[in-house]
Amino acid sequence: KNHFQILVVGGGNGGISVAARLLNHDSKLDIGIIEPSDKHYYQPAWTLVGGGAYDIKKTVRDQADCIPEKAHWIKDRVVTFEPDQNALTCADSGRITYDYLVVAPGIQLDWGKIKGLRENLGQFGVCSNYTFASAPYTWQTLRSIKRPVKAIFTAPNTPVKCGGAPQKIMYLAADYLKKQGLLSKSEVHFYSGGGVIFGVKKYADVLNQVVANYGIHTHFNHNLTEIDGRNQMAFFETRDQDGEIRQVVQKFDMLHVTPPQSAPDFIKNSPLAVIGNPLGWVDLDKDTLQHNRFRNVFGLGDAGSTPNSKTGAAIRKQAPVLVKNLLALMQGQALGQVYTGYGSCPLVTGYGKLVLAEFDYNNNPMETFPFNQAKERHSMWLLKTKVLPWLYWNKILKGTA
Ligand code: FAD
């Protein structure tokens, strides 16, 4: 079969949520999902895996059990798009045409942009929670610490999936060191390519307090450029007040890296990308999630240009908007649904405590619960560790939440 009424690119959080919702609405829709991976991952729990608070095996399921039964799974990867011909090309299956296209291929981790990162990841204390393969090594490194250490946590200057993840693992690590009686003699550093701890003031205030309580040293506008694993040295670049680039070198015992990120190359190099933006996001209308130039194309999730925080939580609000607008277009009606930019970040601040940040495009808080969410709470930790994983597998991927 080489034509579908609706073709979905990517069977991750966004692609499956949309396909399931469409089929819940009308099980006769002819939907193809192009997804190369045998496995489906619940990525938000990798932070907990890195902190030794979640079993990595519970973060993966067979993709075959996640793809909606009534959708057609094309186990392949897209290589090029011809949106003016309503067609795309896959590596093995060749050219496939569609009436409508939904683009949700996730974000690309640009490991190669930091010299020495790929080679050293998983040894010499160089960790990253950003993949299924590497997240367990973060915990292995942390739990083997028996003396005061220098632990460094980095965030790049690009958008990343889950903007809070680079610091959540830092708070878990600091709390772990505290519980071992090692924190006061250890050094914990946060090197970030960004300019502030968090974009929403209400939550930044509480995070600055958390940082101060653990005695963490913060360094903003610093980008990790190189790692020398064998000598456990990290190299950063920052700009002086006079605009000169200055290099900073730090020894480390543990280095947790959040790699720079961008849209996948096959999106960047396609007509679907925002013109003139090197990060190459899918060019979407931020309200309707329709492509800005190709009217029968929609998109959501981490690869989209919408300026929300790139999280699964955002997808939970994007999917119903996209589905209603796509169905409206199919029926020749106006697109009536608007995505407000909702994003959420469950900011783990230590073992058993969490600040649940929720906000919109304008960084205005959009809170779910009838209490002040800018407070560390045990109930929100239970939400993250127990409720949200259940919700993901049983409701979000089924298109019912
Ligand atoms: P993904 O779920 O990544 O899916 C993209 C899919 O596209 C993949 O299955 C991939 O195989 C497929 N694909 C790739 N290339 C191709 C191709 N060429 N052709 C076809 N298909 C392709 N979110 C939260 O809400 N809360 C959190 O606490 C949180 N914490 C996080 C912590 C970490 C460490 C990480 C890594 C992520 C976290 N997230 C969190 C973010 C969340 O996981 C993502 O925002 C979400 O998975 C994005 O969904 P997506 O569908 O856009 O991409």
Side-chain angles (χ1 to χ4, degrees):
K1 184 166 158 69
N2 59 8
H3 180 88
F4 291 87
Q5 185 183 18
I6 302 172
L7 198 51
V8 178
V9 178
N13 186 349
I16 291 200
S17 301
V18 163
R21 278 179 176 272
L22 285 165
L23 288 164
N24 291 346
H25 170 82
D26 178 357
S27 62
K28 293 204 177 58
L29 288 170
D30 169 34
I31 299 181
I33 302 179
I34 308 174
E35 167 58 59
S37 172
D38 279 332
K39 300 290 178 196
H40 189 110
Y41 301 100
Y42 180 60
Q43 304 170 41
W46 292 344
T47 294
L48 301 169
V49 169
Y54 204 85
D55 180 357
I56 186 79
K57 294 200 278 299
K58 292 203 309 205
T59 70
V60 58
R61 292 199 182 173
D62 286 338
Q63 188 64 271
D65 297 333
C66 299
I67 301 233
E69 241 168 65
K70 295 211 163 74
H72 185 98
W73 178 13
I74 303 144
K75 195 176 171 311
D76 204 340
R77 67 189 167 84
V78 177
V79 275
T80 56
F81 292 92
E82 299 163 73
D84 46 1
Q85 305 291 320
N86 298 332
L88 51 73
T89 306
C90 291
D92 299 322
S93 328
R95 197 165 184 269
I96 304 177
T97 54
Y98 54 79
D99 299 331
Y100 301 92
L101 182 69
V102 176
V103 189
I107 205 163
Q108 176 171 291
L109 304 171
D110 293 322
W111 302 101
K113 292 217 169 120
I114 295 170
K115 200 172 159 208
L117 173 55
R118 215 190 290 267
E119 302 86 308
N120 290 306
L121 186 63
Q123 53 180 342
F124 307 122
V126 180
C127 319
S128 182
N129 286 346
Y130 270 77
T131 71
F132 178 76
S134 60
Y137 179 69
T138 308
W139 173 233
Q140 194 185 315
T141 304
L142 197 56
R143 73 163 185 223
S144 65
I145 294 174
K146 303 284 181 245
R147 59 178 175 81
V149 289
K150 187 188 264 192
I152 297 179
F153 298 82
T154 75
N157 63 355
T158 64
V160 298
K161 51 180 155 186
C162 194
Q167 54 187 294
K168 294 181 207 176
I169 184 60
M170 172 170 73
Y171 303 137
L172 284 176
D175 201 15
Y176 179 81
L177 292 174
K178 191 172 164 192
K179 285 184 170 35
Q180 304 301 310
L182 296 172
L183 182 62
S184 58
K185 291 209 169 70
S186 293
E187 268 183 50
V188 180
H189 292 266
F190 185 50
Y191 276 89
S192 170
V196 288
I197 194 84
F198 202 75
V200 183
K201 183 168 181 313
K202 176 170 182 182
Y203 307 114
D205 289 347
V206 59
L207 291 175
N208 281 323
Q209 198 52 53
V210 170
V211 162
N213 290 347
Y214 285 125
I216 294 169
H217 307 269
T218 55
H219 314 265
F220 295 106
N221 302 309
H222 280 69
N223 285 303
L224 179 65
T225 53
E226 187 178 342
I227 299 166
D228 174 349
R230 199 163 291 284
N231 294 306
Q232 295 191 300
M233 275 158 58
F235 299 79
F236 300 88
E237 273 183 7
T238 187
R239 229 172 247 283
D240 274 340
Q241 268 156 358
D242 52 12
E244 290 290 305
I245 291 181
R246 184 167 58 89
Q247 198 181 54
V248 174
V249 188
Q250 275 277 21
K251 282 281 287 173
F252 63 83
D253 299 290
M254 174 178 182
L255 173 69
H256 181 275
V257 181
T258 299
Q261 299 171 32
S262 64
D265 288 341
F266 77 101
I267 298 286
K268 242 181 240 147
N269 302 329
S270 81
L272 298 181
V274 177
I275 295 166
N277 180 334
L279 297 181
W281 313 115
V282 183
D283 190 2
L284 301 176
D285 181 287
K286 75 191 241 297
D287 299 326
T288 62
L289 305 176
Q290 186 182 38
H291 196 278
N292 277 323
R293 284 167 283 130
F294 304 103
R295 309 319 274 174
N296 61 339
V297 177
F298 287 76
L300 79 167
D302 294 349
S305 63
T306 54
N308 55 282
S309 125
K310 295 183 182 299
T311 60
I315 290 172
R316 196 161 62 80
K317 299 289 184 188
Q318 292 174 343
V321 169
L322 188 158
V323 165
K324 284 192 187 129
N325 283 341
L326 173 55
L327 291 169
L329 184 75
M330 290 168 77
Q331 285 149 17
Q333 292 164 1
L335 276 52
Q337 294 290 314
V338 168
Y339 167 58
T340 61
Y342 171 90
S344 156
C345 198
L347 291 154
V348 174
T349 52
Y351 290 93
K353 42 192 182 175
L354 190 147
V355 170
L356 183 65
E358 295 183 288
F359 45 90
D360 65 9
Y361 275 139
N362 301 318
N363 282 342
N364 292 322
M366 271 182 83
E367 299 189 343
T368 303
F369 297 98
F371 47 68
N372 178 12
Q373 287 182 212
K375 228 184 125 192
E376 297 175 88
R377 289 179 188 273
H378 186 64
S379 57
M380 296 295 101
W381 167 267
L382 295 177
L383 180 81
K384 161 97 187 154
T385 54
K386 305 266 187 268
V387 180
L388 292 178
W390 184 89
L391 204 69
Y392 184 76
W393 297 116
N394 297 296
K395 298 282 180 187
I396 290 170
L397 292 186
K398 304 278 187 258
T400 53

